Amino acid sequence: MTTVTARTVHLLRRPDGFPTSDLFAFRERELAPPGEGEALVENLYLSVDPYMRQLMDGGWPLDAPLGRGRALGRVVASRAAGLAEGDIVFHTGGWSTHALVEPGTARAVEPAPGVPLAAYLSVLGGTGLTAYAGMRSVLDVRPGESVYVSAAAGAVGGVAGQIARLLGAERVLGSAGSAAKVAHVTERLGFTAAYDYREGGLAGWLAEQAPEGLDATLDGVGGDHLEAAIGAAKEFGRIAWVGAISQYHSAANPPAAPRNLYAVSDRSLHLRGYQVRHHMHLREEAEEWLVPHLVEGRIALDHTVVDGFDSLIDAFLGVLRGDNLGKMLVRLDAAGNEA
Ligand SMILES: NC(=O)c1ccc[n+]([C@@H]2O[C@H](COP(=O)([O-])OP(=O)(O)OC[C@H]3O[C@@H](n4cnc5c(N)ncnc54)[C@H](OP(=O)(O)O)[C@@H]3O)[C@@H](O)[C@H]2O)c1
């Protein structure tokens, strides 16, 4: 086999505030044929995620191919035991059309009957696992509870709210950034009620919707959303703090912490941060639990798919802007019309 020309993306400069497309450049690089123990993968789907905004501040090197991104691809040549040509694999090789992987860095994926491949980067991927770990392990949501989820129309939030409903929560409340998203969250994802936070008054809305207080919150927005969740929590309420997307563009001048932090003590709240990487042991359990709900339609598959490697940067900036409903994915030419 000869070398393959892979398309990649480089970061040219670090952002100052909200990132712009001119900070990135598309590049090409030659990949040698797989060496002993390696397999060459042609990517089908790439994930674009908010944590990459944090990588732009330091985790990603400048002017080098951008790794540390989740992808699904097909093995096109292999010298690795356990990875055969034609296998579909999940790996974290990042933003490239092709990747050289090893069995330790790539996992074979065999989609369950009735489950589209792309689901393995969304509800059955890292964001779905984040939602599952949050609802089941960190918050341990119980029947009859009142639950609030921020960024509810997004990848983690949408799945988290649906899991809370399936766990028997009596009220599943969500917030999102437009009237269309509010309708999506209630009509398609089955949240009890949702609110467009851009109207202001989120704290008041939560107090109205859950007059006896919230039992559990999953917050990925931080700032005023976390403050509203603390304000609306009942005594002994639990808050899983998974992210702070409202603050990712202000590294040099972070906004103040929630002004009502003392309520955590005053009402004996349980405020816990978590990272999905500390819950990888739940991956198989989550998949077993989620697949029947997906196949039987109790969990809606919620994706925004953009086509083509050239659309990658716009898709990434789109997640940060809120252009997505559900998980934002980039489908590459090699995926054809695969759902
Ligand atoms: N700790 C972990 O292991 C882990 C794992 C996965 C994700 N996360 C975190 O969870 C959060 C959601 O991630 P995701 O992958 O599910 O992304 P996502 O929700 O699919 O996309 C991000 C959403 O954030 C919302 N947003 C952007 N700026 C905002 C602002 N200033 N205020 C309120 N909402 C804003 C946008 O929706 P609107 O239109 O509604 O504003 C956008 O669609 C992020 O903070 C992410 O870093 C953490």
Side-chain angles (χ1 to χ4, degrees):
M1 179 183 178
T2 54
T3 59
V4 165
T5 304
R7 298 191 66 203
T8 64
V9 178
H10 287 202
L11 179 65
L12 304 179
R13 295 182 305 286
R14 307 257 172 234
D16 178 14
F18 197 95
T20 47
S21 57
D22 60 315
L23 298 175
F24 298 94
F26 288 98
R27 297 274 194 262
E28 291 188 349
R29 72 164 170 166
E30 298 300 310
L31 286 184
E36 185 59 37
E38 288 183 330
L40 177 67
V41 172
E42 183 169 30
N43 286 328
L44 308 176
Y45 285 94
L46 300 177
S47 183
V48 287
D49 296 271
Y51 73 85
M52 293 159 164
R53 171 63 187 85
Q54 295 162 289
L55 293 179
M56 292 182 78
D57 288 330
W60 270 339
L62 292 179
D63 216 0
L66 297 180
R68 299 176 66 179
R70 303 180 187 115
L72 288 168
R74 184 181 289 116
V75 175
V76 291
S78 179
R79 292 182 61 199
L83 292 178
E85 202 176 315
D87 281 356
I88 302 290
V89 294
F90 169 91
H91 66 92
T92 53
W95 287 355
S96 180
T97 53
H98 298 76
L100 279 172
V101 304
E102 295 166 5
T105 62
R107 172 168 55 80
V109 171
E110 277 183 48
V115 177
L117 177 60
Y120 289 82
L121 272 190
S122 62
V123 58
L124 302 176
T127 51
L129 181 58
T130 307
Y132 183 87
M135 286 296 146
R136 296 218 70 174
S137 177
V138 181
L139 292 172
D140 190 17
V141 167
R142 297 284 154 173
E145 292 195 322
S146 293
V147 178
Y148 163 57
V149 177
S150 65
V156 173
V159 175
Q162 295 185 86
I163 292 174
R165 164 171 52 76
L166 290 165
L167 292 174
E170 188 181 312
R171 325 204 101 235
V172 182
L173 308 172
S175 57
S178 70
K181 287 191 174 187
V182 163
H184 180 81
V185 160
T186 50
E187 290 162 20
R188 183 161 150 79
L189 307 185
F191 281 57
T192 316
Y195 188 69
D196 177 357
Y197 69 84
R198 289 182 203 254
E199 288 185 5
L202 176 62
W205 180 78
L206 285 173
E208 270 166 34
Q209 294 294 316
E212 286 164 22
L214 295 169
D215 295 284
T217 289
L218 190 146
D219 176 43
V221 173
D224 57 346
H225 285 59
L226 182 57
E227 183 173 299
I230 291 172
K234 65 168 61 158
E235 206 163 44
F236 303 112
R238 292 107 62 208
I239 299 173
W241 188 19
V242 72
I245 195 164
S246 67
Q247 308 186 5
Y248 292 166
H249 311 299
S250 337
N253 182 24
R259 290 165 296 181
N260 55 356
L261 206 51
Y262 179 64
V264 173
S265 166
D266 195 38
R267 265 179 275 134
S268 294
L269 305 185
H270 188 142
L271 170 60
R272 183 174 157 195
Y274 79 103
Q275 293 292 320
V276 67
R277 67 175 181 274
H278 298 135
H279 295 268
M280 297 312 289
H281 58 283
L282 294 177
R283 195 184 62 74
E284 284 178 21
E285 174 192 315
E287 198 170 316
E288 270 170 37
W289 192 86
L290 289 162
V291 164
H293 287 306
L294 255 184
V295 171
E296 287 156 35
R298 291 183 292 275
I299 289 189
L301 201 55
D302 203 15
H303 295 162
T304 297
V305 179
V306 300
D307 277 304
F309 196 73
D310 288 333
S311 308
L312 186 63
I313 302 309
D314 199 42
F316 170 58
L317 299 179
V319 170
L320 303 179
R321 281 190 301 259
D323 293 352
N324 56 314
L325 280 175
K327 179 77 186 91
M328 181 75 99
L329 295 171
V330 179
R331 177 169 49 194
L332 303 191
D333 293 348
N337 292 322
E338 188 147 17

